[in-house]
Amino acid sequence: MKKGFTLIELIVVIGLVAILGLVITSNLTGAFSNQQDEQYTFFKETLEDAACTFIDLEVASSKKTSCRNNGSCTVNLQTLLEQGLIVDSDLVNPKTGTAVSTSNTVTISYNAEGIKSCSYNE
């Protein structure tokens, strides 16, 4: 009697290992993509929160009330850097790993009830 595997058995085992590899790879890719999306959402929220804080400080000090009167205004990232509300490390896009331009803006809008919303503009 010969000991060992037949060619058919080897092909079946290699096929099963390949299928498992594809399943694992696709799951890992999805996990990394979801993590990047979450990091990007946090990145945008950080910039939007900083801009909203800036406008609140400006309104509180009576330097700028036209934002609410006009219904909206924009703040560029350079202003947020200069005011110390964000730091250089906040300006790295987690999806691409590249620095964003300090000329990018955040728009602060007020609805009819005076409720403020902020949105990052790339």
Side-chain angles (χ1 to χ4, degrees), residues 11-85:
I11 290 173
V12 169
V13 169
I14 290 172
L16 290 173
V17 168
I19 291 170
L20 279 173
L22 288 172
V23 168
I24 290 170
T25 302
S26 67
N27 286 339
L28 288 177
T29 302
F32 288 130
S33 177
N34 289 342
Q35 182 182 13
Q36 283 181 335
D37 290 342
E38 289 173 9
Q39 288 175 340
Y40 185 73
T41 300
F42 181 73
F43 163 76
K44 283 178 50 176
E45 288 173 354
T46 300
L47 298 178
E48 291 167 356
D49 290 345
C52 284
T53 300
F54 174 74
I55 291 300
D56 288 342
L57 293 171
E58 291 289 302
V59 169
S61 65
S62 298
K63 292 180 184 175
K64 188 173 188 176
T65 58
S66 63
C67 185
R68 183 172 285 187
N69 296 339
N70 293 337
S72 70
C73 59
T74 59
V75 177
N76 66 24
L77 300 184
Q78 182 63 41
T79 302
L80 299 177
L81 272 172
E82 290 169 357
Q83 295 297 314
L85 295 168

Side-chain angles (χ1 to χ4, degrees), residues 71-106:
S72 70
C73 59
T74 59
V75 177
N76 66 24
L77 300 184
Q78 182 63 41
T79 302
L80 299 177
L81 272 172
E82 290 169 357
Q83 295 297 314
L85 295 168
I86 58 174
V87 293
D88 287 332
S89 62
D90 291 332
L91 297 177
V92 177
N93 185 328
K95 281 190 173 182
T96 62
T98 59
V100 297
S101 172
T102 55
S103 63
N104 290 0
T105 60
V106 178

